[in-house]
Amino acid sequence: MFDEADERRHDSGVTDPNWVEVNSILSVSERGAVWFELAVQAVSGLAQFRGALLRHDEKALVLVADDLVVPTSGLEFRGSGIWVELVCEAQLSHWSYGLEAFALALDSPTELAHTGRGHRAALGWELEFEADGSAEPWGDGYSQLGEVHGLVLTTDGEETWAGPAIRGHCWGLAPAERLRVAASAAAPIGWVAVPGLQPVTVGEDPGGVSVT
């Protein structure tokens, strides 16, 4: 149903200001969850990047960058205190994700919504997504289940990351439902929510681990 052309950017010739193209991923492990969403608004020429790292007994790290300039090609973005790149290594099979940025470390996961304050902290990753199966419809695009492995980088250093994941790619005027992972091999790790438009919940919810 989906082919190599679907993996490319779809913003050529777009004229409707409400059109958006989204690349997103959610991965869980015994340590917690990694999530990000990159939304490209073709008409404005700007992209929004939102990401989060949630870990046991650690402050939630949340990153929001709403004014990244869209490059003429590819998915490499630079802004004040952030570099992010998404690379398709093999169509519908393998993606790599790089991030170097400053995020907010929150005493409480809901602190960003209540006060907008946190402590500046480094956040980065070098992650690889390997698909486990074929792409399935997701909004006007598709999603894939798979595995993520690599490194997560914080002020405390680097740690290995590995776990089940789901990635999504959609485009058009109607946003797709937020990504969901039906089940995780990791033990339950409790509930935590990142405030804003994309709360992240982790636990034994009937939906598993989800972004809603």
Side-chain angles (χ1 to χ4, degrees), residues 2 6-7 15 21 23 32 46-47 63 68 73 76 116 125 166 174 187:
F2 301 100
D6 291 308
E7 292 278 64
T15 57
E21 182 169 8
N23 280 278
L46 296 176
L63 172 61
L68 300 177
S73 63
E76 182 180 13
W125 51 60
I166 183 171

Side-chain angles (χ1 to χ4, degrees), residues 26 138 145 166 177-182 205 207-212:
L26 171 64
W138 181 59
L145 294 174
I166 183 171
E177 181 184 2
R178 300 298 174 193
L179 292 180
R180 291 182 178 274
V181 173
D205 172 64
V209 181
S210 65
V211 175
T212 56

